[in-house]
């Protein structure tokens, strides 16, 4: 196919690049086909309760807020489970770098859907971390005291025995997990729409699960480079 050419490139490079472009176009079509199947999912299960979260409200003081209130003017709610429970000295570096990227998108997503970040730590601790990190557009909520994480796999407490074995969760032990969950409100009822369940699918050999890659600019940028991702994994801080 006819396409652009860069200065001084060889015929060998252009032939290989055009073949790769065919694959990239096919991948684009596959991504859209998967998104269409996602949009066509039948109604998910009704949320078992109107969970109560804690957040820093307009008064700059901790306030209680119900899940039904988080939608704001929208019918769609995205909740991301952030691995920063009270037992962690620092939050998960994978979650943190992802939220660094989503921080920029958060000012735009609110035009189409509600987005909130949930974690098990007390709200004051979450607010302090957001301030330290420079997150000005992300809305953080504390799940301390409710069962949202357990019910929607923001932790391992309701993993089946098989999942506990697969993910090496010892009996009697649990920890927080990363997952996106999307909810829809219609006719007064809130139903689960979709979750990033690939977080818990067996990963390909020598790969991270990649469940949140489509929302993660870091990995997309590294995939453009000659070195690729390699064995790099982000840190909370680089000293």
């Amino acid at each position: 196919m006819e396409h652009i050419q860069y200065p001084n490139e060889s015929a060998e490079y252009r032939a290989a690049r055009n073949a790769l472009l065919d694959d990239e176009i096919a991948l684009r079509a596959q991504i859209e086909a998967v998104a269409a199947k996602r949009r066509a999912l039948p109604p998910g299960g009704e949320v078992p309760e109107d969970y109560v979260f804690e957040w820093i409200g307009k008064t700059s003081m901790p306030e209680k807020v119900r899940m039904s209130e988080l939608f704001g003017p929208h019918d769609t709610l995205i909740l991301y489970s952030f691995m920063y429970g009270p037992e962690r000295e620092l939050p998960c570096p994978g979650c943190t770098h992802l939220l660094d990227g989503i921080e920029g998108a958060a000012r735009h997503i609110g035009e189409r859907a509600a987005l909130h970040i949930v974690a098990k730590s007390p709200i004051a601790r979450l607010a302090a971390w957001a301030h330290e990190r420079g997150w000005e557009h992300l809305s953080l909520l504390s799940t301390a005291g409710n069962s949202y994480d357990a019910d929607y796999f923001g932790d391992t407490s309701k993993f089946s025995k098989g999942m506990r074995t697969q993910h090496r969760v010892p009996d009697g032990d649990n920890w927080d997990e990363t997952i996106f969950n999307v909810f829809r409100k219609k006719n007064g009822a809130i139903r689960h729409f979709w979750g990033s369940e690939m977080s818990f699918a067996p990963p390909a050999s020598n790969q991270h699960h990649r469940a949140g890659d489509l929302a993660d600019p870091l990995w997309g940028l590294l995939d453009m480079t000659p070195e690729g991702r390699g064995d790099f994994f982000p840190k909370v801080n680089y000293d």
Side-chain angles (χ1 to χ4, degrees), residues 83 85-88 120 149-150 153-161 163-165 167-177:
M83 296 170 66
E87 75 286 352
R88 292 178 180 269
K120 288 175 170 288
D149 289 305
F153 302 102
D155 67 31
T156 61
S157 62
K158 289 193 176 180
F159 274 18
S160 66
K161 185 175 180 179
M163 286 187 67
R164 295 182 76 86
T165 299
H167 292 275
R168 300 184 178 91
V169 183
D171 289 342
D173 197 4
N174 284 295
W175 51 72
D176 45 10
E177 279 287 355

Side-chain angles (χ1 to χ4, degrees), residues 14-28:
R14 179 44 46 193
R17 181 63 187 96
N18 281 357
L20 174 60
L21 184 58
D22 286 342
D23 290 340
E24 290 171 340
I25 292 169
L27 177 60
R28 179 178 67 186

